[in-house]
Amino acid sequence: MNANFRNGLLMLAAGVLAVSCADYNVTDDFHAEIDPAFVEPYKDLAPVKSYINRDAHPNMSIGATLKATDFNKQELAHSAAITNFNDVTFGTSLMSGTIVNAKGVMNFLDMNDLLDHVEEINAVVYGSPLFANANQADSWLSTLTAPIEIPVDPVEDKFVDYTTMEEFTGTAVSGKPRIEKNYDGEDNALRVPRFSKVYIVEDFDVDPLGEYTITFYAKVDKDESIYCTFCDSKRIQENGGDKKYDLKPGKWVKVVVDAMPGDDISYGYLMIDGNLNGNVYIKSVQVMHNPDNHRPQTEQEKTDTIYYALNAWCDGLMKINRGRIKTFDLIDEAIDSKATLENGMLDLKHSTDKIFWQDILGSENYAPVVSRSASAAFEKYEGNPAELRFFIGESGLDDPKKLESLKYWIGIWDANGAKIDGINAKLNLFYSEDEATQAANIASLDNLLANLATTGKLIRLSNFDIKYQDAEGAFVAADKISEGQRQKLADYYGYVIKSYMNKIPNDKQAGICKGNMADTSDPVGLWSIDKNSKDWVRTATYKAFCDALSGQ
């Protein structure tokens, strides 16, 4: 590791309680460096995870969130996560939206590197959500469920024969076109004077998805050029704007215009203009189009397609995984915030412009179907089914109605055979200097934990970042927070951890996952970041974690 980076593994400084390199550094060419963040008053603290009282809380886990790319760099964030936390999670990094392209090609290169390293150092990963409404392979799903090509016959939209007309009744934007009788000694023709703009065919319905071919016969007495405009199209033979055609004198010339209509056009026409040297004579005009050669997929076809997609995704993911990630969010944030069922429970989210898994699989079968597919693929590729755990991830569960609705849906999914081991409750916490507001914050948290405990499921808390709000309701930035304010914030972190460990039964404690290890623009970190050296420096929150996990 580059010594200039100065941040290797977060090992304890010489002279204090040491953590063995065997805890993490298992390769011969990867050496720990001294952590520059060991400064007063927290230099004597051990890694956070070492403070968990395993006698009282044998299943307790403390996790960290980071990007897969940061983890694969094996630098500062990687070191902090592995040294101080029991498990790591990678947010959306391992979701299908990141991995699967529009053609269904799955790029697992980063994930494979990540899991090879995870296996090497014996780390634990909490898997990204397998199925969700966001961060899915939307382009792929749209491609798979797109309309199907079918054979179609060309349609004649209009034919205008000027050879039999006595009078021109069409539209002239400029100029005075007229019927020239016996133009060539036999038939009449439409005479378009120089400098005119004339609709030589018009008034036919337009298929906005149709591909049009307009054929007309023209004759000139001198070399001439004309421009054709079809239904405000910008796509005549793949050229921008109007299309230019050169005409030579002496005989009738067949002009073929291939085009698609412009946007929001319902009135069909072809206009010619641009003849600067003399008259243009038109004998006849034919408008043909090939209708859109697609039809929507039937509901059964869409269902079959989505089953294929979910099985392909699970198979590809679990083949790379090879049983190394054993815990996943099966479904992420499926509950709507407003739409209700007849029984008053919140409905699942549904979409009119994207493919949501539940729209095709059915709300009641959503979790059973995807859990069966993921479980089968996990076991197929070296996974031990006894070790597999699926959680339902959801935010906003401090709203009693949303939590009750989640319990309702889990009950339905359980009854239909889904494998659901736990709930991953995503937190959105803040500490307030206003006493009444903070009292409400604490009451809401305690109520959430008490309600979660009644589910009988494993309970995991994630996105464990707490922002700081002053008495006026303004959030205090990381570079503005005082030591006293930081301590109040740290104390609230400790309160949340202890409340979780006290209110959630020991055998249901799946753990707490930190959203950000270091400060962002908000003071949410166990570490602050020195603005000059960029070193990570332990904050009061680091100590609060250690104290709370140890039971103090």
Side-chain angles (χ1 to χ4, degrees):
M1 180 176 290
N2 189 334
N4 291 331
F5 190 75
R6 300 181 61 212
N7 286 290
L9 289 170
L10 301 185
M11 304 295 291
L12 294 177
V16 301
L17 179 63
V19 178
S20 169
C21 287
D23 286 347
Y24 168 68
N25 183 17
V26 295
T27 58
D28 294 335
D29 59 350
F30 189 78
H31 301 287
E33 298 177 10
I34 298 300
D35 174 16
F38 292 130
V39 295
E40 297 291 355
Y42 308 119
K43 70 176 184 179
D44 293 335
L45 294 174
V48 172
K49 65 185 179 183
S50 67
Y51 287 91
I52 297 175
N53 184 339
R54 291 296 174 193
D55 292 332
H57 304 280
N59 298 320
M60 181 63 185
S61 176
I62 192 75
T65 305
L66 68 163
K67 295 179 180 179
T69 51
D70 288 340
F71 185 85
N72 282 343
K73 290 177 184 177
Q74 298 184 27
E75 295 176 349
L76 179 57
H78 168 280
S79 302
I82 294 301
T83 304
N84 286 277
F85 298 89
N86 301 111
D87 61 79
V88 291
T89 187
F90 300 104
T92 64
S93 299
L94 306 184
M95 294 181 71
S96 63
T98 303
I99 291 171
V100 188
N101 71 12
K103 295 182 179 179
V105 177
M106 301 182 186
N107 183 355
F108 289 104
L109 292 177
D110 285 344
M111 181 176 177
N112 191 57
D113 290 345
L114 182 152
L115 291 181
D116 284 348
H117 180 59
V118 163
E119 188 173 28
E120 181 185 24
I121 63 175
N122 198 30
V124 177
V125 174
Y126 185 97
S128 297
L130 298 179
F131 297 92
N133 302 321
N135 301 304
Q136 295 294 278
D138 294 325
S139 296
W140 181 44
L141 296 180
S142 294
T143 298
L144 288 175
T145 56
I148 297 172
E149 288 190 8
I150 56 175
V152 295
D153 295 323
V155 175
E156 182 178 80
D157 299 277
K158 193 152 189 177
F159 181 78
V160 178
D161 185 2
Y162 287 112
T163 65
T164 61
M165 284 190 182
E166 297 292 325
E167 182 181 357
F168 177 67
T169 58
T171 301
V173 178
S174 62
K176 296 181 178 181
R178 63 181 176 83
I179 298 297
E180 184 85 10
K181 295 184 179 180
N182 298 317
Y183 164 68
D184 57 2
E186 296 181 7
D187 298 316
N188 299 344
L190 173 65
R191 176 179 179 269
V192 179
R194 57 196 296 234
F195 308 130
S196 299
K197 291 185 177 182
V198 178
Y199 287 18
I200 63 173
V201 64
E202 60 182 312
D203 195 23
F204 54 88
D205 293 333
V206 175
D207 179 352
L209 299 178
E211 297 179 355
Y212 281 80
T213 298
I214 304 92
T215 304
F216 64 93
Y217 289 86
K219 191 174 182 180
V220 293
D221 297 324
K222 302 176 182 179
D223 285 350
E224 194 64 81
S225 295
I226 60 172
Y227 291 89
C228 294
T229 303
F230 175 73
C231 301
D232 293 350
S233 176
K234 304 291 186 189
R235 293 170 288 176
I236 293 182
Q237 294 186 340
E238 300 182 356
N239 287 301
D242 303 336
K243 175 63 178 175
K244 179 182 178 182
Y245 295 86
D246 295 323
L247 304 177
K248 295 293 184 180
K251 61 180 181 179
W252 289 101
V253 177
K254 181 181 179 180
V255 180
V256 179
V257 179
D258 292 315
M260 295 184 68
D263 297 332
D264 300 322
I265 296 298
S266 59
Y267 181 77
Y269 70 88
L270 181 76
M271 183 184 75
I272 68 169
D273 71 303
N275 50 311
L276 304 178
N277 298 320
N279 300 322
V280 175
Y281 296 90
I282 307 296
K283 182 160 60 171
S284 63
V285 187
Q286 182 189 45
V287 180
M288 302 280 294
H289 86 277
N290 292 316
D292 180 25
N293 62 335
H294 298 84
R295 66 160 177 81
Q297 292 188 28
T298 66
E299 290 305 313
Q300 186 59 54
E301 286 169 336
K302 276 190 177 182
T303 299
D304 292 344
T305 297
I306 291 300
Y307 269 88
Y308 158 78
L310 77 90
N311 287 326
W313 163 239
C314 289
D315 191 82
L317 178 72
M318 295 306 180
K319 184 176 182 179
I320 291 295
N321 182 41
R322 299 201 313 273
R324 291 177 287 188
I325 302 176
K326 307 177 194 307
T327 304
F328 298 86
D329 275 354
L330 177 68
I331 292 172
D332 186 52
E333 299 201 33
I335 308 297
D336 202 306
S337 59
K338 295 180 180 179
T340 57
L341 304 171
E342 290 182 358
N343 61 7
M345 294 295 143
L346 292 172
D347 194 3
L348 300 189
K349 295 174 182 174
H350 298 284
S351 176
T352 57
D353 59 351
K354 293 170 63 175
I355 297 296
F356 281 6
W357 301 98
Q358 59 269 31
D359 289 339
I360 307 298
L361 304 176
S363 297
E364 295 187 355
N365 290 320
Y366 181 22
V369 169
V370 297
S371 68
R372 281 194 295 269
S373 179
S375 297
F378 181 81
E379 187 172 359
K380 176 182 177 182
Y381 295 109
E382 304 179 34
N384 180 354
E387 298 177 331
L388 180 62
R389 298 287 182 272
F390 286 147
F391 283 68
I392 304 296
E394 192 58 71
S395 62
L397 294 180
D398 51 330
D399 178 351
K401 183 174 182 179
K402 193 167 190 181
L403 179 54
E404 190 65 23
S405 299
L406 177 61
K407 290 164 65 175
Y408 164 79
W409 282 109
I410 288 177
I412 288 178
W413 294 334
D414 279 341
N416 288 343
K419 175 179 173 57
I420 300 174
D421 300 287
I423 296 172
N424 180 22
K426 300 180 181 182
L427 302 177
N428 182 24
L429 302 178
F430 66 93
Y431 172 86
S432 176
E433 290 180 350
D434 180 78
E435 292 184 4
T437 302
Q438 184 57 18
N441 289 341
I442 292 173
S444 177
L445 171 71
D446 288 344
N447 187 57
L448 169 63
L449 293 173
N451 285 334
L452 287 171
T454 66
T455 66
K457 300 288 186 182
L458 295 170
I459 301 300
R460 180 177 188 260
L461 304 183
S462 63
N463 193 37
F464 185 34
D465 287 349
I466 305 178
K467 298 180 181 180
Y468 192 97
Q469 198 177 69
D470 65 21
E472 284 70 44
F475 287 104
V476 178
D479 59 353
K480 302 295 183 183
I481 195 167
S482 67
E483 289 186 11
Q485 289 173 321
R486 177 80 80 165
Q487 186 60 57
K488 292 178 182 178
L489 182 62
D491 291 342
Y492 191 38
Y493 269 106
Y495 179 87
V496 176
I497 295 171
K498 287 186 283 188
S499 293
Y500 170 83
M501 294 192 295
N502 290 334
K503 289 182 170 59
I504 303 300
N506 287 359
D507 63 339
K508 302 301 180 184
Q509 293 175 5
I512 299 176
C513 183
K514 193 74 179 70
N516 288 279
M517 294 183 289
D519 283 350
T520 60
S521 57
D522 295 298
V524 295
L526 281 71
W527 292 267
S528 61
I529 301 177
D530 186 276
K531 64 181 180 181
N532 295 317
S533 67
K534 304 302 180 183
D535 289 337
W536 285 23
V537 180
R538 291 171 176 173
T539 69
T541 299
Y542 189 105
K543 184 175 187 302
F545 266 66
C546 298
D547 290 345
L549 291 170
S550 65
Q552 295 185 32

